[in-house]
Amino acid sequence: MKRIIFLSLAVLLSLLTFSLFQPLPSLAKEKIGVLFISVGENEDYVADWSFQFFNNMYDLFEPGFFAGGPIEGGRCYTAIHYADTAESFICGVAEGTPIDIFCQPYTGSYPIHDLMYWDPPPVGDDDFRNNCFYYPDPNTYPNVYYPLFFGANWVADPAGSGIGLADFVEMTNFTRMGWYYRWPGHKCYARKELLKWWYGNNAPGYSPDSPELINVKASLEALHPEYEFIYGHGWEAYMENEDAYGNPFYRPDSTETVIQQLIAAGAKKIIVADCYSFFSNLTQFGHEWYDSNGQGISAIPGKTFKQCVEDITDGVGPKTADDLNAYLTNKSWDKHWKHPFPLIKDLVHNQDSTVDVRFANPYGNYPEFEQAVVDTLNYTIAKYSIPSTKSLKVILLQHGYYNGYENAQECDSYFRLIDYFVSRVSTKVRNNFTWSGKFDVASGPGEFAEGDNNYDPPSSSKPFGNVISAGELVDQSINGKYVNELGQIIDNGINNYDYIIAIPFTFESFSSDTVYGKREQILGNNKYNSAYGFYTRDANDKDGTEYDAGDVDSEYCTVKTFDGTGWLGGKYPSKTPKGSATNPTTLIMTGCILDLNSASGYARSARQNLTTAEVKAISDALPAVITTTTVSPASSTTTMQLTTTTTEQPTAIELASFTATPKKREIILEWETASEINNAGFNIYRSESENGAYTKINAALIPTKGSTTQGASYEFVDTAVKNRKTYYYKLEDIDLNGTATMHGPVSATPRLILGKLN
């Protein structure tokens, strides 16, 4: 009996020992889809990249910009160029060959006309007006933009490749051929930089690096081993499986295809990581997008873009009922919704309505991004051995928007978000960068803020217009002379700045905007343009040639000197060079963060901080607690229901007090917070009646001073008031996600203070 018991115990012990050393069945990890999105220009020239990309910008342009394509219809024409040197190289044809945007020689029998043949009378026969832009009532024909003004030859062959394509977008493709010809290696390296950043050595189509570059995939997986991540990437220009004409066409790299692959791989939650420093209605949100608190997103806190446009009393957007009617007639809301976020939402739920779609915050929301900009500045100073005793101006280059057709684009959240974004980054640079010499930081847009008659016209009292562009900041900062937009020769003297460092901080990677676009927009002098009748900035280099590969180094940095020997400005035959011969200013335009050699030092730190910011954005979209807001467009003919699901960082300020104290011809506004979580800053709004329209009165966002554990005190003095009149004020706090919360109102009546004569 004892023998049997001992044997049984021995067997039990052996079984127990065996089981202890066997791997336990692993618990299945939750599968999380990560969908990276960016513009992603093709490495080599491809004509069809432009069409879906520009179609997303339907909101922005005047009627006629999309004439000839699926959005605005009409017969229109095929654009033809007699191939120049660049087009000859890109298309592999002899110079002078008549080609279309697909690099196909035109061999048809229809005559090729110059651009003026179809212009309005008395120049042309007005065929564009009669056949290109569709308008239902000939008696109310709108003021239409003529894309033919861009310059080209055209053929009206009904079998031509351009029939069914927007003529304006055709024209942009010939411009793009010129870019590819001038870029280093005749290639656009945007996709390479992005894919290497997202995937490291797993970047499809590229050989591995040794050592592997810092990347989002490795960092995300190291931070969250509890999840199984499934990755995919899409491009804004290839969102749907369509060809350039809008016909069904399978694309293996379209966002639609990638979404199908993520769902097929088992992802029941997809986090969309749109790789921008900050978002806007035009580039991400569209016209009816809500944040996680159910607040509409636009230039006006709490309103959607659509609500902002349709309210002509809020001071933003169309100014009159006629302007609004023109906009709604020519820009019907049912054609607005194909912006990236609502379209991605729709594509996912068309495939599987149970999938949880979340949109990560922009990486620019995080302090690591701010530090990445400081790292880029430090890297540039070290690279060019700039002595700290020299005077230095740092210019943070923005993209730039304009007010669009009937001023509707004023409602874009871009104009509100860029203020606090610039304020945060500028403050970071000022507080975390040491310089012994004269030093300043400024920021301005590249496009749409120059002093011409279309966007920001100059005047004798405002020679730079209402908005100071990046180019105008350069003009103000150099030593020596330049010609302004009024044709005046301005002499800054020789005690301005020795160095200017311009950083395209809103871009993370190579693009047509950053490589040559920003140089064309900000470096040149102003010359009289006889075709327009006003002064415009010279887009060429100081020697009069176009910017090319010789103007950038391997990191896409440029060094130019304003030494009074180039960039001749003024009106012919006047020739005024830009800069000073005795004390020239050197301008350094940096590459983007992903352009820099990140093997070590500040460039490595910049890439690490950028990556950390993006990983934090994705991580913040992972938690289970989430707010969902469903919106059905009331005045749209589309049957799609837009459902916005976002995860935001915890945001709140605890407002302890908000008061308005009257003085003689001024009101002192004071407020105190007990705590501030992810707060970006404050705005002050004023009204002359408690329930009337409130107008923002501070020029720039009032930066935050508090923290999660400590509040702060603030003061703002309003001097644009009159005695014996009551004014009402609201305080707006804006968090790092762009979400705004209003407080108030409070009121005060300025009055004469007895006993004081002043």
Side-chain angles (χ1 to χ4, degrees), residues 458-470:
S459 64
S460 57
S461 61
K462 294 182 177 180
F464 294 126
N466 291 316
V467 180
I468 304 297
S469 71

Side-chain angles (χ1 to χ4, degrees), residues 414-528:
Y414 170 90
F415 295 101
R416 177 165 58 89
L417 300 182
I418 192 67
D419 286 344
Y420 86 82
F421 185 64
V422 168
S423 175
R424 285 175 42 230
V425 177
S426 298
T427 300
K428 184 74 172 183
V429 173
R430 291 180 188 279
N431 295 341
N432 293 270
F433 175 73
T434 302
W435 197 253
S436 60
K438 177 182 174 183
F439 175 73
D440 193 18
V441 183
S443 182
E447 304 96 323
F448 311 123
E450 290 284 271
D452 62 38
N453 292 338
N454 293 320
Y455 303 118
D456 191 29
S459 64
S460 57
S461 61
K462 294 182 177 180
F464 294 126
N466 291 316
V467 180
I468 304 297
S469 71
E472 292 160 347
L473 287 171
V474 171
D475 293 342
Q476 290 179 326
S477 304
I478 65 171
N479 291 318
K481 298 178 180 180
Y482 70 93
V483 178
N484 70 8
E485 288 97 342
L486 295 175
Q488 300 166 331
I489 300 173
I490 307 299
D491 191 344
N492 290 334
I494 59 173
N495 295 313
N496 221 348
Y497 288 93
D498 300 317
Y499 286 88
I500 300 171
I501 296 179
I503 304 174
F505 80 121
T506 59
F507 300 85
E508 80 290 326
S509 63
F510 181 113
S511 77
S512 55
D513 288 298
T514 64
V515 178
Y516 299 135
K518 289 289 176 279
R519 289 154 182 79
E520 294 169 350
Q521 293 160 8
I522 76 170
L523 295 182
N525 218 341
N526 285 287
K527 299 172 65 175
Y528 185 75

Side-chain angles (χ1 to χ4, degrees), residues 58-59 71 287-288 306 310 327-339 633-640:
Y58 169 78
D59 309 21
I71 293 181
H287 70 290
E288 284 199 294
K306 180 173 179 288
E310 292 182 341
Y327 186 82
L328 297 179
T329 298
N330 295 296
K331 297 285 180 179
S332 57
W333 290 119
D334 63 314
K335 293 184 179 180
H336 278 254
W337 72 271
K338 284 194 174 184
H339 292 266
S635 59
S636 173
T637 58
T638 180
T639 58
M640 186 191 72

